[in-house]
Each structure stands twice: as structure tokens, then as C-alpha cells.
Amino acid sequence: MTFRHRHLLGIAPLAPPEIVALLDLAQDYADAMRGGRKHWDALHGLTQINMFFENSTRTQASFEIAGKRLGADVMNMAMQASSVSKGETLIDTALTLNAMRPDLLVVRHPASGAVDLLAQKVDCAVLNAGDGRHEHPTQALLDALTIRRKKGRLHRLTVAICGDIAHSRVARSNLHLLGKMENRLRLVGPPTLIPAGAAEWGVEVCHDMESGLRDADVVMMLRLQRERMDGAFVPSEREYYHRYGLDAAKLSGAKADAIVMHPGPMNRGVEIDGTLADDINRSVIQEQVEMGVAVRMAAMDLLTRHLRAG
Ligand code: NCD
């Protein structure tokens, strides 16, 4: 299968068969890694540069490990917020990096659309590691792979995405992906954290956890993204936890075998109860991290196949 895209900027442009092919390849990598394998040559001789203009722990580490396992030369650039106007900084940086002839650029940026803009200025493949509140495609793909492994399918599931939808690129990418696969999607949260117009996206909107979680197969919790909030969106964390924080009592309204997901970083006692997050019978949070490496390997492998052809 050839991946017809030059970049991975979002889930929106991907066709369902492309998503399935990427997940199948990631599944192969995941199985091999569970078997103990740690090295491949798919990216041998290629240069991967990670540019994170926003803090990240797991995503940056995951992309770095994925590149190294595939044999790439991986470089991490510590990008600090600059006082220069954002557009200028970004394009200058892009041109500078481009001159170093990387093959893969992994970019995280606080501004929605910044990664797309950068991709237009460089000659190599660009992977979006999260841009503002726009998209975070590898997160949605690793969530999908985790769901498929746990539920045996990626369609006709009831998925409740709960919490701070308004500021979440994870929610947006997941809505695209799970929507393309024909699932029943619910957004659950206070009205202040659900974007106006969400009801017209073909999803159900619930403002209480009881109706939102009813008969759900998958419960996906999101962090309150305070760094993207302009003012206060919730009265207090205590009040928020009381109404929207996931605990065993609220989860009991979902299906008996419902899985609990969270992209991390978690705020225990704010959006999720710590004990539930650690409950290996319900929570798949660690498997999400594990699948993250496999999905990023698959994405970088597919985006560089044309360099290996012939
Ligand atoms: C998410 C992100 O950065 O968008 N985290 C991640 O990539 N694992 C979600 C978040 O920051 O809450």
C-alpha cells in the first residue's frame, strides 16, 4: 500500500482505508516490540528533527524512540517561545531547518494551523505533533489502535469524549477519525467547554456524565487545558471533579466492559480519579502510550517509503 500523502498534518484528509493500513502496520510493529524487538532499518540514513514549540513529555519521547527504533538519526530542538512575531519566527525557522536537509520534521506548536504553514515551506515530510486546538493526528491514531485491540473493532462503538472539548486538539482529531469509522460519538462536558455548533457535527452533546456515559463502550477523558483558557471556564476544580470527574460511580453507567482512556498528562482528582486511572481492568492509559510508539513508527515508515523505492 502506498500512502498518498506527503505529510501527516491531520486526520481530516485521510481516507478510511489509509487509516486502516496505518493501523495495521502499527499493529505489526507493536506485536514485534512486545516480542522484544527494538530495531529496524526502515529509516536508516534518514534525519528526523523534532521541533516542539510547546511542552511535551510523552509525545516528544515517543517520536524520538520511534525514530531511533527505525534507525533514523534523531535530533531534538528545544524551541522556546520567542518575542519575535510568530509567523516570522516560524517561517525563518522552517527555512533554516530545511537547509539542513532533514527527511522528517515533527512539529508541535501552540498556534492552530502553524504546522500546515510550515509544511508549505519545507521539502521533507512534516508530522503534526499537535497544533493549538486544531489537530493531533498521531494521538487519534494511537487511540484508535488501542480501541481496536481492546474492542476487536473500530466501528459501531459508542464513544464518550468527556471534559474540555473546546480547547482539545485530541478531541478534534478523534472526532474526525472515529466519525469516519461510523461510531456513535458523544461529547460530554459543561456548556462552557463544548464548542458552539457541536450539535451540528453529527455527534450527541450531553452536559451531564450520567446521560453522557450511558452504555458507552469507550470513555475518553480529557485534561482541562488551562493554558489555552482565556479566563475561567469552570467555577472550581472541586466543583468540576464533582460533576465531570470520572470515578467508579460515574463509570458504572457505561457498559460493564467499557474502557477508560486519557491522552495524558492527567490531573488526578480533577478530570479523573487516580485509583480508576491505575485500574488495569478498566484503564488502558498505559497501552495508549505503548501504541503511541508503534503508530509513530508506522506513520514515519509510510511517509518515507518513496525515498526507499527502487
Ligand atoms: C495532549 C496534547 O498535548 O494535546 N497530550 C498529549 O499529546 N499526550 C493532551 C493534553 O495536553 O491534555
Side-chain angles (χ1 to χ4, degrees), residues 38 43 53 72 82-83 99 109 118 125 152 167 173 190 210 235 278 305:
K38 294 249 175 82
L43 301 186
F53 293 87
S82 164
S83 53
H109 198 282
L118 190 140
H167 301 100
S173 289
E210 197 187 337
D278 297 333
R305 286 218 169 157

Side-chain angles (χ1 to χ4, degrees), residues 191-235:
T192 48
L193 293 179
I194 298 200
E200 284 129 55
W201 300 347
V203 298
E204 295 165 48
V205 174
C206 302
H207 296 307
D208 68 275
M209 291 289 272
E210 197 187 337
S211 56
L213 264 52
R214 193 169 298 139
D215 296 325
D217 297 287
V218 176
V219 180
M220 191 181 288
M221 301 308 299
L222 298 171
R223 182 176 64 89
L224 277 183
Q225 310 239 325
R226 294 205 177 274
E227 73 277 21
R228 288 184 226 293
M229 291 181 191
D230 184 14
F233 281 64
V234 295

Side-chain angles (χ1 to χ4, degrees), residues 58-59 108 136 139 169-170 223 225 263-265:
R58 77 209 73 227
T59 305
R108 168 169 286 193
H136 190 353
Q139 180 69 46
R169 53 198 176 209
V170 175
R223 182 176 64 89
Q225 310 239 325

Side-chain angles (χ1 to χ4, degrees), residues 235-306:
S236 74
E237 287 186 351
R238 233 182 110 178
E239 167 75 7
Y240 183 79
Y241 181 67
H242 176 66
R243 297 199 54 196
Y244 295 103
L246 186 68
D247 57 14
K250 293 194 187 86
L251 184 63
S252 67
K255 287 212 180 112
D257 62 351
I259 56 169
V260 174
M261 308 182 79
H262 195 303
M266 261 188 291
N267 288 313
R268 291 167 186 261
V270 180
E271 70 266 357
I272 190 163
D273 167 56
T275 310
L276 182 56
D278 297 333
D279 179 354
I280 54 166
N281 296 314
R282 304 312 294 272
S283 162
V284 298
I285 295 170
Q286 294 308 320
E287 185 153 342
Q288 287 175 270
V289 177
E290 181 188 357
M291 292 308 125
V293 176
V295 152
R296 289 167 180 126
M297 288 167 75
M300 292 195 289
D301 178 347
L302 289 175
L303 287 172
T304 54
R305 286 218 169 157
H306 63 285

Side-chain angles (χ1 to χ4, degrees), residues 135-155:
E135 281 235 37
H136 190 353
T138 56
Q139 180 69 46
L141 289 161
L142 74 88
D143 290 339
L145 182 56
T146 307
I147 294 171
R148 198 175 77 171
R149 288 166 68 96
K150 290 292 175 189
K151 295 280 143 202
R153 65 180 198 276
L154 197 52
H155 59 277

